[in-house]
Amino acid sequence: MTLRNESLTAAFDPRLFRENSQAAVAHLESHLSDLSVRGLELTDPVVLSEAARALMTTEQESVAPFDEKKLAAILELYVKTGIQVHSPGYMGRQFSGTVPLAGVIDFVSSVVNQPSSFYEAGQLPNVAERIMADELNRFIGWEAGRFAMVTTSGGSLANLTALLAARNRAFPGIWSRGETGGARPAIAVSEDVHYSVSRAAGVLGVGEAQIVRLPVNRSRQIRADRVRGALAAARDRNLKVFCLVASAGTTEIGAFDPIDELADVAAEDGTWLHVDGAHGASLLVSDRLRRKLRGVEKADSLTWDAHKMMFVPAPCTLLFYRQAHAALGAFRQRASYVFDEEPDAYHGFDGGDKNFECTKRPMIMPLWTLWAMYGRALFAEKIEYLCRLTQEAHRIISDDPDFETLHFPEANILCFRYRPDGVGDDHVHRLQLQIRNQVRVGGRFFISKVNIEGVAALRVVLMNHQINGEHFRMLVDEIKRVGAHLLTKRSGR
Ligand SMILES: Cc1ncc(COP(=O)(O)O)c(C=O)c1O
């Protein structure tokens, strides 16, 4: 018996699929062609909810007939209410306007729907993962055939997975019996480590008091000379540090911890070194910038977000392990429905035993396709441009007495404060928060903010090669206009 239902058949009609896709593509083409300076049109959530609810079908009993106008309205609403990541006004966060071809492949992924944790469900994605692992490992430098890579849904999950593998290596009895042999598991991290690392610690039962915070220097890099002492002090507290985490590109200012020196300390101590390169690992593909991650080949694991500086749709994270067997240490499960008792030739390509997800997007496909079609230079040239542009932005800020610079940019993140003469310590924090919010409401620029040593700063992340120095000057003018207005209002209180 076959289910015959005209409306159901119509919803799956390949011709309708083509028409819908063409409508979406035409809409996106004009969206991408619009290079006007704009940030975010922030909509009241109540108003947006109403607009979205108005698009819901009231039909409950049968499949609603297709409504072209409704689809057009959904597309319009979706595109319009997003942060305009392809515009030169977007300077705020670490996800990027994607290379358009990456979007095309992501769209194909959604249609062919090949979840990629197991080879049989995603053959090309699993092969592409291997190829990309080998390609990118050329810049990491691990022994071919001995390292491993899995993709994970985001850097936070990669950090958690790496910490899990590190913990299981240090405490062999913990997975099966929950035993730590009397010592309390601990990790050592920079003061500026991304919150996903301390969150992962919490998930692993490593309490706040078991997180050893390592001091940083003026460039906000971990002070390698202080790590031995910190580890010894931790031992005296009956803490066993199973993982030392270095950041390759901190979220706040894009600082790179001294991996080479930290690796030596970790090796001496028998501690796993994890490099959180969610933001900055992509600099490895540039001959000019690779040195920022000097020593990465000595690390045990590395998180690398391609949805940040490789300009592909989120999420796409690569988690590398120096030793393939360490990758298997993260999880130990029996599940007869997926893990075969008699592994065959295909099993070696499965990622399911090494990554957290069971069903997982074939997130490697956009990255692999770009790499296959354009090669490394697409990424290297864009990253180098963005880092040079950030240095130019730093010069512009340094030359303007109304601004306070806070660091030299090591990558494409720049933090600074608007602080003309007369703005006292008591007001500077609040002023930056107000400026950031007002600039966002203005809708022309989207920037972020961050606290540095407890005081707010404006934060710019340059992810778009269509931004130039002139655009940055326009942002500076906007900040000065908004800032001056806020100061006048305050003085007239
Ligand atoms: C240094 C660092 N680590 C980890 C993460 C978390 O990555 P994700 O957002 O992909 O989960 C971020 C995100 O901004 C980051 O900057």
Side-chain angles (χ1 to χ4, degrees), residues 283-315:
L283 271 61
L284 283 169
V285 305
S286 153
D287 293 338
R288 284 189 40 236
L289 298 166
R290 191 170 306 131
R291 63 188 165 76
K292 310 240 176 206
L293 287 100
R294 195 166 52 83
V296 70
E297 72 285 355
K298 298 193 218 164
D300 292 285
S301 52
L302 167 71
T303 292
W304 185 332
D305 273 3
H307 58 257
K308 293 189 166 75
M309 296 283 276
M310 303 288 272
F311 320 110
V312 296

Side-chain angles (χ1 to χ4, degrees), residues 404 406 417 419 425 427-430 432-433 450-458:
E404 179 184 11
L406 298 168
R417 296 191 184 107
R419 190 173 190 174
D425 288 348
H427 185 46
V428 66
H429 175 80
R430 183 127 193 277
Q432 311 312 306
L433 301 182
V450 66
N451 285 359
I452 296 184
E453 291 180 349
V455 182
L458 302 171

